[in-house]
């Protein structure tokens, strides 16, 4: 199987071009094999770039634990880069089908190759049962903003947002390894999140700058999470601690997030990088 390794802000995946390759059998199992950083290629998961009857292409993303995610913000930028650079779709604005719906991506091209991409991530979902979460706002209506969540005797204030996949955002004075490695997996599988959740811990630097680390559902800690950055920006506005345009500093780089007040759409801009290509045989 031929593959291409790509990364967006350090969030790296193995991509398979299903326009030119046979769709792999059991991609859920394959995801764990390619993601293994000792016995496989090494990645945060597997992304299939497939033909679509509804859009320029379809993106399917599988986590190392075999679960299929609805959406990945960093991966979709890399999919757009692959489509453009490999001459499958050489449009500067393209549409990609995802588990979260059809999304529009605008690419930035230098010397004939994509270096960054801007993604219209659509409207954030704030209704608790659609996130989904069983947590409720203090009034019983409206978004879940800074609602206490008890985790192993510790209390964290959760703000819940879906960007096509569920996120629980927590603002802290200083992010520690313990937040991520100890509390991250416990929050991911907490009973308050019936479909599990991605978990973001966030430091407020200024009203225009945030620092974030993420524990991704089905993967663990990653260097970046595009949907998580979008959810964090929305959560920060809802909590009254940030403006609608923010730069989010992640372990793998920066993402720019705009929550447009007129359209209610969240726009994410960030890098897309092709690392290497190769062929692998797991038989």
């Amino acid at each position: 199987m031929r593959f291409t390794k790509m990364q967006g802000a350090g969030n790296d995946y193995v991509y398979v071009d299903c326009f030119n390759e046979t769709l792999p059998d059991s991609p859920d199992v394959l995801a764990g094999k390619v993601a293994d950083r000792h016995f496989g290629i090494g990645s945060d998961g597997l992304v299939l770039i497939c033909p679509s009857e509804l859009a320029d292409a379809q993106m399917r993303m599988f986590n190392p634990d075999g679960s299929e995610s609805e959406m990945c913000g960093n991966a979709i930028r890399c999919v757009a880069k692959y489509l453009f650079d490999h001459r499958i779709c050489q449009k500067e604005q393209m549409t990609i089908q995802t588990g979260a719906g059809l999304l529009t991506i605008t690419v930035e091209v230098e010397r004939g190759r994509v270096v960054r991409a801007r993604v219209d991530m659509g409207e954030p979902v704030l209704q608790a049962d659609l996130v989904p979460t069983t947590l409720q706002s203090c009034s019983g209506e409206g978004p879940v903003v800074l609602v206490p969540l008890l985790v192993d005797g510790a209390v964290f204030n959760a703000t819940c947002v879906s960007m096509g996949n569920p996120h629980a955002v927590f603002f802290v004075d200083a992010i520690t390894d313990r937040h991520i490695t100890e509390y991250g997996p416990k929050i991911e599988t907490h009973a308050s999140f019936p479909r599990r959740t991605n978990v973001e811990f966030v430091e407020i630097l200024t009203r225009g700058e945030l620092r974030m680390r993420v524990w991704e559902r089905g993967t663990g800690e990653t260097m970046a999470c595009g949907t998580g950055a979008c959810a964090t920006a929305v959560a920060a506005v809802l909590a009254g601690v940030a403006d609608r345009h923010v730069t989010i500093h992640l372990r793998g780089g920066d993402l720019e997030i705009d929550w447009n007040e007129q359209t209610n759409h969240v726009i994410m801009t960030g890098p897309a990088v092709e690392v290497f290509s190769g062929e692998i045989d797991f038989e």
Side-chain angles (χ1 to χ4, degrees):
M1 181 189 77
R2 290 201 57 78
F3 69 89
T4 300
K5 175 80 173 283
M6 304 183 76
Q7 60 91 2
N11 195 192
D12 61 337
Y13 289 92
V14 170
Y15 294 77
V16 177
D17 175 1
C18 296
F19 283 85
N20 296 298
E21 293 278 329
T22 302
L23 185 71
D25 295 331
S26 305
D28 53 341
V29 176
L30 180 62
K33 292 180 177 180
V34 301
D36 192 297
R37 297 189 185 273
H38 300 286
F39 298 100
I41 299 164
S43 70
D44 291 328
L46 172 70
V47 175
L48 306 181
I49 305 173
C50 305
S52 170
E53 295 182 356
L54 303 176
D56 294 305
Q58 179 185 14
M59 179 184 83
R60 295 184 64 192
M61 194 274 272
F62 294 85
N63 297 308
D65 70 352
S67 59
E68 184 170 3
S69 183
E70 302 90 342
M71 173 56 187
C72 175
N74 291 313
I76 200 170
R77 296 197 312 275
C78 290
V79 168
K81 174 180 173 61
Y82 187 94
L83 292 169
F84 189 95
D85 290 1
H86 291 262
R87 301 181 180 275
I88 297 171
C89 177
Q90 285 207 300
K91 298 191 297 188
E92 293 193 1
Q93 186 173 92
M94 61 185 75
T95 304
I96 296 177
Q97 179 183 354
T98 75
L102 300 180
L103 298 183
T104 301
I105 300 91
T106 304
V107 297
E108 297 179 16
V109 181
E110 293 181 5
R111 299 179 181 178
R113 298 181 72 84
V114 172
V115 293
R116 300 207 322 161
R118 184 171 66 254
V119 186
D120 184 341
M121 301 287 285
E123 298 186 57
V125 175
L126 304 176
Q127 186 176 325
D129 62 337
L130 297 180
V131 170
T133 178
T134 59
L135 296 175
Q136 295 291 325
S137 67
C138 297
S139 66
E141 299 180 356
V144 176
V145 180
L146 303 178
V147 172
L149 178 71
L150 181 64
V151 185
D152 270 7
V155 177
F156 298 98
N157 291 322
T159 300
C160 299
V161 180
S162 171
M163 292 302 309
N165 55 357
H167 294 269
V169 180
F170 303 89
F171 300 105
V172 295
D173 292 333
I175 306 168
T176 66
D177 288 342
R178 187 181 182 190
H179 284 129
I180 304 302
T181 60
E182 181 177 338
Y183 292 112
K186 292 175 181 177
I187 295 171
E188 176 195 351
T189 57
H190 195 282
S192 296
F193 304 104
R195 289 173 54 198
R196 299 188 292 164
T197 190
N198 298 282
V199 184
E200 287 82 28
F201 286 96
V202 183
E203 297 175 17
I204 308 300
L205 304 180
T206 69
R207 292 193 64 85
E209 282 189 276
L210 313 176
R211 180 178 292 117
M212 181 190 110
R213 284 175 66 181
V214 58
W215 178 272
E216 288 203 51
R217 178 183 60 165
T219 302
E221 184 176 16
T222 60
M223 297 291 283
C225 177
T227 55
C230 294
T232 290
V234 170
V237 172
L238 293 175
V241 296
D243 298 327
R244 284 179 173 261
H245 174 80
V246 294
T247 298
I248 298 188
H249 304 293
L250 304 118
R251 299 188 78 185
D254 295 347
L255 295 176
E256 297 174 21
I257 311 296
D258 289 276
W259 186 14
N260 188 287
E261 193 166 8
Q262 282 70 47
T263 65
N264 199 37
H265 283 217
V266 180
I267 309 298
M268 173 190 61
T269 304
V273 178
E274 184 171 323
V275 183
F276 62 87
S277 295
E279 189 169 333
I280 193 166
D281 186 353
F282 285 107
E283 293 182 3

